[in-house]
Amino acid sequence: MADTRNLTDVPPTAGPREAGLTVGDVARESGVATSAVRFYERYGVIEAERTSVNHRVFDQSAACRIKVAKLAQGVGLTVREIAELLAGLPPDPQPDDWAEIACELMDEAERRVAALRGYLTEIASAGKLCEVVDRMS
């Protein structure tokens, strides 16, 4: 596995008010590159605070949020939709909070599967494909 650390993201020392996860820590814990951590931050999936020396630090839920984001992307959600989905989570999500997100993801996955089944039925119905599009519109 490639080393995802970026030494410019690691604060030299963090005081009690600056404790948190670095970009590299979040990358390792979530299994993504540091650039992906920054990407998820840019789109509001995770949030960072700045230390007194202007380094990013993340709370303990950041890696979990990224893992959930990867799962949601597998369901077909865009990063913006994922950010909206996770926006209501408290800073320290509890199991009930995650269960609510899981229900929303399952509902969305079921909607998308049903739509895909409809497409498959129409495609298999024979005839010109361009007529299938007309029937589905």
Side-chain angles (χ1 to χ4, degrees):
M1 180 175 197
D3 187 357
T4 57
R5 287 183 296 166
N6 182 337
L7 297 179
T8 61
D9 293 325
V10 181
T13 57
R17 304 187 97 215
E18 298 178 343
L21 300 174
T22 65
V23 170
D25 294 335
V26 174
R28 276 187 297 284
E29 287 187 29
S30 60
V32 301
T34 55
S35 59
V37 173
R38 290 184 195 92
F39 173 82
Y40 286 121
E41 180 188 11
R42 187 176 326 116
Y43 283 94
V45 173
I46 59 174
E47 293 181 9
E49 293 185 14
R50 293 287 182 164
T51 67
S52 61
V53 291
N54 207 29
H55 290 284
R56 290 182 189 96
V57 290
F58 299 87
D59 66 24
Q60 294 297 318
S61 73
C64 187
R65 287 172 189 258
I66 290 175
K67 289 179 181 181
V68 171
K70 289 169 46 178
L71 178 66
Q73 285 175 302
V75 168
L77 274 67
T78 66
V79 177
R80 290 188 195 278
E81 290 170 325
I82 295 165
E84 289 173 16
L85 178 69
L86 299 179
L89 280 176
D92 185 23
Q94 299 303 304
D96 287 347
D97 300 315
W98 290 119
E100 190 174 315
I101 297 295
C103 285
E104 290 183 45
L105 282 176
M106 288 187 294
D107 289 346
E108 183 61 27
E110 289 294 337
R111 279 191 293 279
R112 290 175 187 234
V113 166
L116 288 171
R117 284 193 180 114
Y119 284 121
L120 286 172
T121 300
E122 287 296 325
I123 291 168
S125 68
K128 290 183 177 178
L129 284 178
C130 58
E131 291 171 357
V132 169
V133 173
D134 292 340
R135 286 194 306 264
M136 296 182 74
S137 298

